[in-house]
Amino acid sequence: MTYVVTENCIACKYTDCVEVCPVDCFYEGENTLVIHPDECIDCGVCEPECPADAIRPDTEPGMDQWVEFNRKFSEQWPVIVTKKDPLPEAEERDGEEGKMEKYFSEAPGEGG
């Protein structure tokens, strides 16, 4: 099992999760985070830290696409280990449907 970041992180990008990760397996895109599935040690400490409930175990139904999404972008984006402010529109976009199509950017974040 591994944990993955799902669609609800897009356009929110809360980073509470990165500070508790003992293996620094979060990577930052311009408007979302991902977890490298091969680096995640399945400890689960990140899941309850996410205010947007965007971190899920890969054992849940429909997670295969998110495992591949997380793998792809964790290999392209910089690691992030320090909490930052969420995106300005995070509260209003939390839980919004269709965020992948509306807002997702493949651009890397700053990391840090």
Side-chain angles (χ1 to χ4, degrees):
M1 184 178 86
T2 188
Y3 285 85
V4 293
V5 177
T6 61
E7 182 174 32
N8 207 39
C9 184
I10 298 169
C12 289
K13 198 167 83 168
Y14 291 101
T15 57
D16 305 62
C17 53
V18 303
E19 284 195 322
V20 299
C21 181
V23 293
D24 301 338
C25 65
F26 280 88
Y27 293 81
E28 183 184 17
E30 180 178 37
N31 67 357
T32 194
L33 301 174
V34 292
I35 295 171
H36 195 301
D38 296 334
E39 295 174 3
C40 176
I41 60 169
D42 314 327
C43 68
V45 296
C46 59
E47 186 180 19
E49 296 298 319
C50 180
D53 194 32
I55 300 173
R56 310 302 312 157
D58 71 344
T59 53
E60 290 186 359
M63 289 296 122
D64 289 346
Q65 71 179 27
W66 293 108
V67 171
E68 290 313 308
F69 174 86
N70 278 249
R71 182 181 314 282
K72 176 182 178 179
F73 290 103
S74 65
E75 293 173 358
Q76 298 175 23
W77 294 344
V79 70
I80 178 172
V81 297
T82 306
K83 183 177 176 178
K84 299 178 180 180
D85 290 335
L87 296 176
E89 65 273 10
E91 282 188 33
E92 67 187 67
R93 299 253 162 89
D94 186 1
E96 184 177 327
E97 296 289 323
K99 292 189 344 175
M100 181 67 128
E101 293 77 23
K102 293 181 203 175
Y103 309 118
F104 176 67
S105 167
E106 291 190 16
E110 296 174 7

